[in-house]
Amino acid sequence: NAGVTQTPKFQVLKTGQSMTLQCAQDMNHNSMYWYRQDPGMGLRLIYYSASEGTTDKGEVPNGYNVSRLNKREFSLRLESAAPSQTSVYFCASSEFGAGRSTQYFGPGTRLLVL
Amino acid sequence: GDSVTQMEGPVTLSEEAFLTINCTYTATGYPSLFWYVQYPGEGLQLLLKATKADDKGSNKGFEATYRKETTSFHLEKGSVQVSDSAVYFCALDSYNQGGKLIFGQGTELSVKP
């Protein structure tokens, strides 16, 4: 089992460019999440998907969109990147919603927006 | 809204020293509480959790007790090792916010030989 995988590991964008961060899990989990990690801020939830076919906004959704492509995959899209979106992005999954079961995290994607 | 506050780091200790990382929370209702650990260059891993008041979570020599009266969930280890060097995050699940995890800002621990 690979657990939660993310691609790419590192990306540099120019302001205004778009990109999609990919996430996949092989644990047959129902719920998936996207977080961003910034120094001194902990992790903040961007979007989550409680189950296949549903998505909801988290704490900091502005500037992002998500797609729950199927039960395994949950992608995060930046339509027009801004320097404020420079961060480390983590995808996570859990069998059920947060608190009811453990969240498993991917290794992260480091994004630099110039 | 619900929130988690951790002691600021970085914390630097010598090997075999006693570790305490403070964590306090604000929440309505009865959240579950978690400690996650992030080793350099990796994602977060669940270290331990407690689901109700007075529960003690433990794993790999780390312990934390859910104290509702003081709204705290302090992480302790009796004798740290160099391999414990990592960033530690306290978190709670917030049913008032749809059951999502709320994280503290993280505390970096560095253990010197």
Side-chain angles (χ1 to χ4, degrees):
Chain A
N1 283 354
V4 180
T5 56
Q6 294 182 234
T7 56
K9 285 186 168 43
F10 180 70
Q11 184 73 44
V12 179
L13 292 179
K14 294 181 180 178
T15 296
Q17 288 185 317
S18 62
M19 78 164 294
T20 299
L21 283 65
Q22 306 287 354
C23 173
Q25 52 90 10
D26 62 2
M27 296 174 281
N28 201 35
H29 284 169
N30 293 292
S31 301
M32 298 185 74
Y33 312 84
W34 276 106
Y35 295 90
R36 60 178 289 173
Q37 183 182 26
D38 302 293
M41 302 285 288
L43 274 76
R44 293 180 292 170
L45 184 65
I46 305 171
Y47 270 94
Y48 70 104
S49 172
S51 61
E52 187 179 356
T54 68
T55 60
D56 284 287
K57 295 179 180 179
E59 184 183 355
V60 288
N62 291 345
Y64 305 95
N65 284 300
V66 290
S67 295
R68 183 76 183 266
L69 303 170
N70 47 55
K71 192 171 186 179
R72 289 187 64 247
E73 299 173 288
F74 188 40
S75 63
L76 178 71
R77 183 160 178 82
L78 286 70
E79 290 291 352
S80 178
S84 60
Q85 294 178 305
T86 293
S87 189
V88 181
Y89 292 85
F90 288 99
C91 178
S93 71
S94 64
E95 186 175 5
F96 302 111
R100 295 176 58 198
S101 55
T102 299
Q103 287 193 22
Y104 294 85
F105 285 78
T109 295
R110 292 186 177 274
L111 176 65
L112 174 62
V113 182
L114 302 174
Chain B
D2 295 357
S3 65
V4 176
T5 302
Q6 293 179 232
M7 65 184 285
E8 291 193 12
V11 174
T12 302
L13 295 174
S14 297
E15 208 165 21
E16 299 183 3
F18 184 85
L19 169 70
T20 300
I21 300 178
N22 290 338
C23 171
T24 57
Y25 68 91
T26 301
T28 53
Y30 303 94
S32 294
L33 301 174
F34 306 83
W35 277 101
Y36 278 82
V37 59
Q38 184 180 30
Y39 297 104
E42 297 183 11
L44 278 70
Q45 304 173 25
L46 179 67
L47 182 59
L48 54 84
K49 69 177 183 181
T51 57
K52 60 184 187 297
D54 299 325
D55 267 3
K56 178 185 283 188
S58 61
N59 186 25
K60 298 181 181 179
F62 291 89
E63 293 183 340
T65 301
Y66 187 166
R67 301 285 188 201
K68 189 165 172 57
E69 64 276 12
T70 54
T71 62
S72 65
F73 192 55
H74 305 321
L75 183 68
E76 296 182 335
K77 187 175 185 182
S79 176
V80 294
Q81 306 300 313
V82 172
S83 58
D84 294 325
S85 298
V87 181
Y88 293 81
F89 292 91
C90 186
L92 64 81
D93 67 322
S94 174
Y95 285 102
N96 286 341
Q97 298 184 37
K100 299 180 282 294
L101 284 179
I102 306 295
F103 286 88
Q105 74 271 35
T107 301
E108 183 180 358
L109 171 66
S110 178
V111 181
K112 306 297 185 186

